[in-house]
Amino acid sequence: MALSDYPVTTIDRIVEETSTVYSLPLFYERLNETINHPRSSIEDISRIITEDQGLTARLLRLANSPMFGCYARVDSITKAVTIIGTQQLRDLALAASVMGVFKDIPEDLLNMSSFWQHSIACGIIARSLAVYRREANVERLFVAGMLHDVGQVVLAAARPEVSRELLETQRDIGRLYLELERERLDFDHAELGGALLKKWKIPASIGEPVAYHHNPGAAEQFRLETALVHLADIICQAMELGQGAERGVPPLDEPAWERLGLTPHMLGTVLKQSESQIAETFAILSGGVDD
Amino acid sequence: MTDQGISRSPEFLQERVSYLEESNQRFMLILEMLASSSEFQGDLSRAKDGEGIFKATAGQLRRLFNFASMGFLDSQDDGSFELLVADPAGARGALQVSVEARMMDGTFAWALNRNQAVLVPTESGETLLLQVVATQSRVRGMFVATLPGHLAALDAASLNALSIVLYTCAYALESTVLYGMLRDHTQHLEERVQLRTHDLEEARKQAEAASLAKSDFLANMSHEIRTPMNGVMGMTELMLQGGLTPQKEKLYLRAIKDSADSLMMIVNDILDFSKIEAGKFTLERKPFSPRDAVERCLSRLLMRAEEKGLKVRHQVGSAVPPCLVGDQGRLRQVLTNLVGNAIKFCPQGEISVDVDLVSREMDEVTLHVCITDTGIGIAEEACQRIFNQFEQADSSTTRKYGGTGLGLAICKKLVGLMDGTIWVESRLGVGSCFHFTARFLFGNEDPLPIDTDAALVPRQLRQAQLTILLADDVEINRALVQAILEPHGHQITFAENGRSALEAYTSKRFDVVLMDIQMPEMDGLQATRAIREYERDMGRGAAVPIVAMTAFAGNEDRQVCLDAGMDDYLTKPIKPGQLLQLLNKFAPHPAASDEALRGGVPTAPAPEVQPGETDGKVAVFAQNELLERLGGRPEMIPRFIGLFCKGVVPQMDGLVTALKAEDADGVRRHAHAIKGSAGNIAALRMHETAAMIEKAAKEDDLTETVRHLAVLQVEYREFTEAVDALGFVAEVK
């Protein structure tokens, strides 16, 4: 099949096609409005979440997981809201429901279990690095990490034949999937994922790090968050924590590394803390998908 | 969205509109608050401490939040948190209780790590908000606030605004702490600079005062030395002009002696003082009688007091022990100085000396000595100063009363060495009372009634009669020593070199050996080593004291002698006093009868004028010096001159021969012998010239020796002429 025979492949086109199939969970928009409302109470916020039993169970398990290391048992969403915070809970809720959104991806293109393992590992490491830096609202980094490669899934769903071709080329000539994407499509999975999140009206503090995690210099508003996801992704690739479409280790962006002001020594500490959290968090989030 | 909107009821739409309006208002409020942050920054920069910063922060937050109460907990160095301030102040107690409950259940620690607001319902039905106040580098504190309602929530935008304000607050706190540290540091620095400046100023003043005192001292000293020096020079000049009656001459000589004595005193003062200053001063520990010491000391000053018509009275308290152990010489020095001063500054009236026991603890006895006079007195402000070195009560004192200004400084240091103190009470025009205390050890034995000062005066020596071996190759030297020692009843055996000295030593027991160093066949050092070896071989218990007599005068020479096994060292020309004193040191038993000594030594005759010119040069023949060496017996002079001439002529011939052969060592040996003989006979010019030849020869330099030899020969002729002119006919045996 000649290349010209493929349907037109632009970011806008793919996002347009995909957003009708893969839409944001319904509760997300309501939750967002409620927590932004000056008159809302904790009860109002809790009520929206508890309408989804599966989500509630996953959130509570998450709140009690080692990732939070919370001091007390979180046995209700009300308590989760008070302890974790409203915006943070919203971000976690997104993370806890997004795995259920992308379904029916051909197994031979992407192993979704391995894909989400990689994504969760990236989210946890990005969050740990942010905690280490005493950043506020660290949950958005967990979500950004979880969603950073969502463009790969979108491409596999929307253009399975292009996806397959890229994967085969990567296997044959051993080049970075990322570079092959750029050559073949003129964009990469990061930009594609970012465009989808924008379409979903996900805040830019999450969307921009996803869109530029392979090109951190291009981030305009959330450079630090972008740099954190960029580094977390490279760490996961190098440590082979789960796997998406990419088989190699993408190059580290020097200015991004410098922006973080981290030392190689402390990377070991953060990684050690994060590793134990990855499996459990994956179990919580994937376990709930089928509920 | 649009499809959904259409399907919804007007009520729903109404609700949407009011929601959006309300949100919009809220956002505007937040933006206004943030926009007014310049005012907030101003408040922060005016705040001086954590409390001020919290008040500014609370003021800013009140624009946006409906907090029922707010509080700020300060992070302490030990990791704890303390409620620094509450707003309103009445809420303090309630806030404290809520915070403590949150500390107990772990929420507080959780909030510390969250870096965002944590909202928890409280038992009292409110909602407590906790948010850490931290910069990137460290936690500065915790912001706490209460919201009405059990499950109150804050909208996301407000929470973000709260974060912004608290972040600013954290940096303001950090700046204040750093600024406070800086201010403390600067203040501390300023204090130190002030202190240091003050110290330096003090030091400068002291240094200036000391320098002034030193200059005054030098001026005084120069005056003090010049005055007797003028006396010596003037009187000498007059006597050299000649034509004086014997009475006049005696008067002048008396004046010269007085001047010389006072010069000696000054020199001794300076030496004592520098010795003490250098820490080289040690005290003797010998038993003595304090009563005796005071009496002796006063008896010497009595004459001066009587001359001025002053009475001197003394009293030693009955509690003062009869015998003490310590340095009575130094005690007497202090006493002499103070009483001497009293006499000096007392125009009439009396001086009294009182000695009392202050305390006796175990073996330690402290005495208090008080010297009262009816003199001119000392101004109050000078009472401390006069004990400083180089100072007197006022500079006019020096001109009127003389003195070096060292006396009291020496007293103070000596008293200090005796663990005592010295002070003065005085009233101008009424008199002074000098006090000092001194510590001694309690002595059990009866103190020996030795007058130690007497040992310095040969004529009063109480000496045992000793058997002495004298080794010297030069006949005149032997004769001279004999002349000095025989009047004291010592028995002398002569040896002409080291070998015969050794032979003599092995055949007889001697109390002392006097050993010349440079002798033919076996020199003094070799002989000494041989004697020491012999003593070891024979197992003789006590080694005989061997005293070197040599014209070598350096310290190394002294060490060479001691290394060879000698005990002491005398430099030529021999001074009778020194020799006798030294022998006294080695005498096995002190004290013989006074009578024997006094009878043996006649008094010196009136000295005569020196012949020949003395214009800056040394005398061809110093008759008086020889006379002193001969114990003041002019009748012995001809014999010694004869011996000298007999000995020196062959030495001078030997010198010529050695010079012709360019034998530097030979030249040196002959010159050395001539130097020694000439020194002993007081042929001072020859002594000098021979010393020059010796020195040059020692350095292997014979270039000037021919000229020096000619000079030496001329000087020998001049010597014989001078001796002839004086009427001494050399006796040649």
Side-chain angles (χ1 to χ4, degrees):
Chain A
M1 215 197 286
L3 282 181
S4 54
D5 297 335
Y6 288 122
V8 181
T9 304
T10 65
I11 288 184
D12 289 346
R13 187 67 186 269
I14 294 174
V15 167
E16 196 59 44
E17 289 169 24
T18 316
S19 59
T20 52
V21 185
Y22 303 123
S23 61
L24 199 58
L26 280 175
F27 74 90
Y28 186 78
E29 205 169 333
R30 278 177 63 207
L31 190 59
N32 218 7
E33 280 196 0
T34 313
I35 65 170
N36 282 329
H37 197 293
R39 265 195 284 120
S40 329
S41 71
I42 290 173
E43 274 171 324
D44 299 332
I45 297 165
S46 306
R47 203 176 304 121
I48 297 167
I49 294 172
T50 45
E51 278 170 16
D52 184 336
Q53 293 293 319
L55 178 66
T56 301
R58 284 199 297 279
L59 275 179
L60 289 179
R61 286 180 67 192
L62 208 53
N64 288 304
S65 77
M67 177 167 83
F68 276 93
C70 190
Y71 62 96
R73 178 145 184 86
V74 182
D75 46 17
S76 69
I77 288 297
T78 310
K79 195 160 184 186
V81 172
T82 64
I83 285 174
I84 297 171
T86 50
Q87 290 161 285
Q88 290 68 38
L89 202 66
R90 176 201 61 197
D91 294 339
L92 282 183
L94 178 58
S97 52
V98 78
M99 280 173 76
V101 173
F102 297 96
K103 284 184 171 163
D104 308 324
I105 307 296
E107 188 68 16
D108 59 330
L109 285 181
L110 269 181
N111 176 336
M112 288 311 284
S113 170
S114 186
F115 173 86
W116 286 121
Q117 244 169 34
H118 169 71
S119 300
I120 288 169
C122 179
I124 285 174
I125 289 171
R127 180 183 182 278
S128 298
L129 291 171
V131 168
Y132 182 87
R133 281 185 44 93
R134 293 200 67 84
E135 294 298 326
N137 303 342
V138 292
E139 267 57 71
R140 67 208 154 102
L141 283 154
F142 176 62
V143 183
M146 262 201 83
L147 294 172
H148 79 287
D149 276 348
V150 83
Q152 291 177 4
V153 186
V154 172
L155 188 71
R159 300 284 186 277
E161 57 295 353
V162 177
S163 188
R164 178 169 292 110
E165 183 195 326
L166 288 169
L167 289 165
E168 279 169 2
T169 316
Q170 173 181 229
R171 196 163 49 238
D172 293 347
I173 65 172
R175 287 186 57 200
L176 283 177
Y177 177 79
L178 171 70
E179 287 174 3
L180 297 173
E181 273 183 331
R182 285 174 179 168
E183 282 169 21
R184 170 75 176 78
L185 301 166
D186 229 20
F187 60 83
D188 58 33
H189 63 272
E191 290 169 88
L192 182 57
L196 178 71
L197 296 185
K198 199 171 179 181
K199 177 85 181 166
W200 280 357
K201 294 187 184 148
I202 301 285
S205 63
I206 295 169
E208 202 175 73
V210 171
Y212 300 114
H213 78 268
H214 284 306
N215 185 16
E220 284 173 353
Q221 296 181 59
F222 299 95
R223 289 163 191 265
L224 186 78
E225 291 82 347
T226 308
L228 284 168
V229 176
H230 169 72
L231 178 63
D233 179 38
I234 290 171
I235 290 172
C236 293
Q237 289 295 146
M239 304 294 294
E240 297 185 338
L241 300 168
Q243 198 171 52
E246 184 65 79
R247 304 278 149 155
V249 181
L252 179 70
D253 184 74
E254 196 74 30
W257 168 254
E258 275 165 19
R259 177 180 297 280
L260 295 177
L262 300 170
T263 62
H265 169 74
M266 59 85 17
L267 280 187
T269 317
V270 170
L271 201 58
K272 208 170 171 187
Q273 281 174 1
S274 310
E275 264 179 318
S276 61
Q277 302 168 11
I278 295 169
E280 188 162 352
T281 308
F282 176 73
I284 293 166
L285 295 180
S286 59
V289 173
D290 297 323
D291 289 351
Chain B
M1 283 270 280
T2 36
D3 325 331
Q4 286 172 345
I6 289 164
S7 68
R8 284 185 179 159
S9 64
E11 291 77 27
F12 175 79
L13 291 175
Q14 188 56 50
E15 170 61 28
R16 288 294 298 167
V17 169
S18 66
Y19 159 70
L20 290 172
E21 277 176 351
E22 221 173 303
S23 297
N24 190 39
Q25 271 176 8
R26 187 70 191 162
F27 294 146
M28 290 311 291
L29 200 62
I30 290 169
L31 285 174
E32 270 172 26
M33 185 202 76
L34 295 178
S36 71
S37 67
S38 70
E39 199 187 328
F40 176 40
Q41 291 291 352
D43 287 347
L44 287 179
S45 65
R46 277 187 293 277
K48 285 179 182 61
D49 51 14
E51 199 174 327
I53 287 169
F54 172 77
K55 283 194 171 140
T57 307
Q60 179 78 343
L61 292 176
R62 218 174 282 119
R63 303 163 69 126
L64 194 60
F65 298 98
N66 217 359
F67 292 134
S69 63
M70 288 182 263
F72 178 73
L73 288 98
D74 202 19
S75 162
Q76 306 292 301
D77 288 337
D78 62 0
S80 67
F81 286 80
E82 202 172 89
L83 187 57
L84 183 70
V85 58
D87 178 41
R92 189 185 179 88
L95 272 178
Q96 184 78 47
V97 171
S98 301
V99 168
E100 270 165 22
R102 299 286 81 84
M103 281 178 175
M104 295 302 284
D105 72 8
T107 318
F108 192 88
W110 170 259
L112 269 185
N113 287 318
R114 283 299 278 176
N115 225 4
Q116 67 195 34
V118 173
L119 290 152
V120 279
T122 66
E123 286 79 1
S124 54
E126 291 177 307
T127 301
L128 183 70
L129 179 148
L130 298 163
Q131 179 155 0
V132 69
V133 178
T135 64
Q136 205 99 54
S137 56
R138 61 175 294 180
V139 172
R140 290 277 160 206
M142 179 72 83
F143 172 79
V144 293
T146 52
L147 292 159
H150 197 245
L151 284 170
L154 283 177
D155 59 291
S158 299
L159 287 174
N160 286 334
L162 177 65
S163 288
I164 292 168
V165 172
L166 291 182
Y167 204 57
T168 310
C169 169
Y171 274 96
L173 280 169
E174 191 151 280
S175 302
T176 310
V177 171
L178 293 177
Y179 179 72
M181 279 164 69
L182 195 68
R183 198 179 42 207
D184 284 356
H185 214 78
T186 312
Q187 199 174 357
H188 182 61
L189 205 67
E190 267 170 21
E191 274 166 18
R192 284 191 52 177
V193 167
Q194 264 177 14
L195 209 69
R196 197 92 188 96
T197 312
H198 182 250
D199 286 354
L200 284 173
E201 180 65 15
E202 281 296 299
R204 190 183 62 84
K205 278 183 189 158
Q206 275 176 17
E208 274 175 3
S211 157
L212 207 65
K214 220 160 209 167
S215 309
D216 282 356
F217 167 75
L218 281 178
N220 290 350
M221 197 59 92
S222 149
H223 172 83
E224 280 297 301
I225 293 173
R226 256 166 215 281
T227 310
M229 211 55 187
N230 274 339
V232 171
M233 289 172 73
M235 291 295 155
T236 318
E237 194 75 19
L238 283 176
M239 289 181 72
L240 283 174
Q241 282 166 8
L244 298 169
T245 64
Q247 289 80 6
K248 263 266 158 69
E249 278 186 354
K250 187 156 186 177
L251 196 69
Y252 287 181
L253 281 170
R254 170 61 56 196
I256 291 172
K257 190 176 183 311
D258 285 349
S259 299
D261 282 349
S262 70
L263 266 177
M264 199 62 207
M265 240 164 67
I266 293 168
V267 170
N268 282 339
D269 268 6
I270 296 172
L271 286 180
D272 272 358
F273 186 75
S274 36
K275 250 194 204 163
I276 300 174
E277 283 280 273
K280 285 182 181 158
F281 210 91
T282 47
L283 293 180
E284 275 192 346
R285 285 182 128 192
K286 284 189 176 160
F288 71 96
S289 154
R291 276 181 189 79
D292 209 28
V294 172
E295 273 161 25
R296 265 173 211 278
C297 170
L298 292 180
S299 68
R300 282 162 185 248
L301 295 160
L302 218 55
M303 208 167 79
R304 270 173 62 200
E306 277 167 1
E307 277 171 12
K308 287 187 79 173
L310 300 168
K311 276 185 201 157
V312 179
R313 185 185 67 69
H314 79 275
Q315 191 212 320
V316 178
S318 56
V320 175
C323 176
L324 296 174
V325 176
D327 196 331
Q328 68 156 320
R330 295 310 163 188
L331 172 64
R332 281 160 57 176
Q333 190 176 348
V334 176
L335 203 56
T336 304
N337 205 304
L338 294 178
V339 176
N341 271 350
I343 294 171
K344 199 196 284 187
F345 293 111
C346 204
Q348 63 202 4
E350 71 163 31
I351 294 158
S352 56
V353 177
D354 294 283
V355 183
D356 280 303
L357 180 76
V358 177
S359 65
R360 184 182 159 185
E361 285 170 35
M362 306 289 286
D363 275 353
E364 289 191 339
V365 177
T366 305
L367 295 187
H368 172 215
V369 183
C370 176
I371 298 106
T372 316
D373 67 43
T374 53
I376 56 169
I378 302 159
E380 202 179 323
E381 84 280 352
C383 281
Q384 271 304 310
R385 208 152 42 82
I386 52 168
F387 295 106
N388 293 347
Q389 58 220 44
F390 314 139
E391 290 207 37
Q392 288 183 329
D394 81 77
S395 48
S396 61
T397 314
T398 314
R399 288 192 291 278
K400 195 167 169 189
Y401 298 97
T404 57
L406 277 179
L408 286 176
I410 292 170
C411 287
K412 188 181 175 189
K413 294 200 181 270
L414 287 175
V415 166
L417 284 174
M418 293 189 278
D419 294 327
T421 48
I422 186 166
W423 71 97
V424 63
E425 293 161 359
S426 185
R427 277 179 65 191
L428 270 179
V430 177
S432 308
C433 183
F434 278 84
H435 302 262
F436 71 91
T437 60
R439 195 147 66 178
F440 300 95
L441 293 175
F442 184 77
N444 284 320
E445 43 190 312
D446 282 339
L448 296 169
I450 303 175
D451 185 347
T452 49
D453 279 6
L456 298 170
V457 188
R459 278 173 206 156
Q460 292 171 3
L461 262 188
R462 306 151 190 230
Q463 207 159 28
Q465 289 166 359
L466 305 172
T467 317
I468 296 167
L469 173 59
L470 170 67
D472 197 314
D473 59 327
V474 181
E475 190 183 355
I476 181 171
N477 292 344
R478 295 196 299 268
L480 182 59
V481 172
Q482 185 182 19
I484 296 167
L485 295 183
E486 268 184 354
H488 293 275
H490 301 305
Q491 287 186 357
I492 306 168
T493 302
F494 298 100
E496 288 172 6
N497 59 43
R499 187 167 310 285
S500 47
L502 181 61
E503 278 163 15
Y505 183 72
T506 53
S507 61
K508 195 179 159 193
R509 193 177 274 270
F510 292 96
D511 295 319
V512 175
V513 177
L514 298 174
M515 185 76 83
D516 183 29
I517 298 300
Q518 195 166 56
M519 289 183 289
E521 280 190 68
M522 180 189 267
D523 69 23
L525 299 173
Q526 291 169 324
T528 303
R529 287 189 205 103
I531 288 173
R532 295 300 182 219
E533 199 173 318
Y534 173 79
E535 282 171 343
R536 272 196 300 279
D537 291 348
M538 300 302 290
R540 280 200 192 175
V544 67
I546 302 178
V547 178
M549 293 193 308
T550 172
F552 299 115
N555 256 338
E556 310 134 48
D557 301 315
R558 185 188 168 86
Q559 196 54 47
V560 168
C561 293
L562 298 180
D563 289 347
M566 294 184 169
D567 298 275
D568 215 323
Y569 182 98
L570 270 179
T571 47
K572 286 177 183 173
I574 302 296
K575 291 175 189 62
Q578 273 185 350
L579 178 57
L580 289 169
Q581 205 183 337
L582 196 73
L583 288 179
N584 194 36
K585 185 170 148 189
F586 293 114
H589 309 290
S593 81
D594 260 342
E595 304 305 315
L597 294 168
R598 293 223 178 100
V601 188
T603 48
E608 287 171 43
V609 191
Q610 297 278 342
E613 67 220 51
T614 47
D615 46 347
K617 289 163 85 181
V618 295
V620 168
F621 171 50
Q623 188 193 343
N624 284 351
E625 195 181 313
L626 177 61
L627 203 56
E628 191 201 338
R629 210 162 289 148
L630 295 177
R633 286 169 293 174
E635 72 277 6
M636 295 181 79
I637 292 179
R639 186 175 148 241
F640 275 90
I641 292 173
L643 284 171
F644 172 68
C645 296
K646 186 180 142 203
V648 85
V649 171
Q651 290 289 0
M652 287 182 46
D653 290 347
L655 186 59
V656 173
T657 315
L659 186 60
K660 274 184 187 153
E662 296 193 355
D663 167 14
D665 192 53
V667 170
R668 183 188 60 76
R669 267 188 293 109
H670 288 296
H672 181 79
I674 295 168
K675 182 182 84 175
S677 310
N680 274 340
I681 203 75
L684 300 186
R685 287 198 191 166
M686 284 186 76
H687 173 83
E688 252 186 16
T689 310
M692 270 195 293
I693 296 173
E694 186 196 6
K695 185 166 175 277
K698 217 171 180 174
E699 288 157 8
D700 235 351
D701 174 16
L702 299 181
T703 49
E704 287 288 295
T705 309
V706 178
R707 197 173 61 77
H708 284 148
L709 182 59
V711 172
L712 188 65
Q713 280 160 343
V714 170
E715 283 168 351
Y716 176 61
R717 206 174 56 240
E718 281 174 355
F719 171 78
T720 52
E721 283 167 8
V723 172
D724 280 349
L726 286 168
F728 297 119
V729 179
E731 283 176 25
V732 184
K733 283 182 184 166

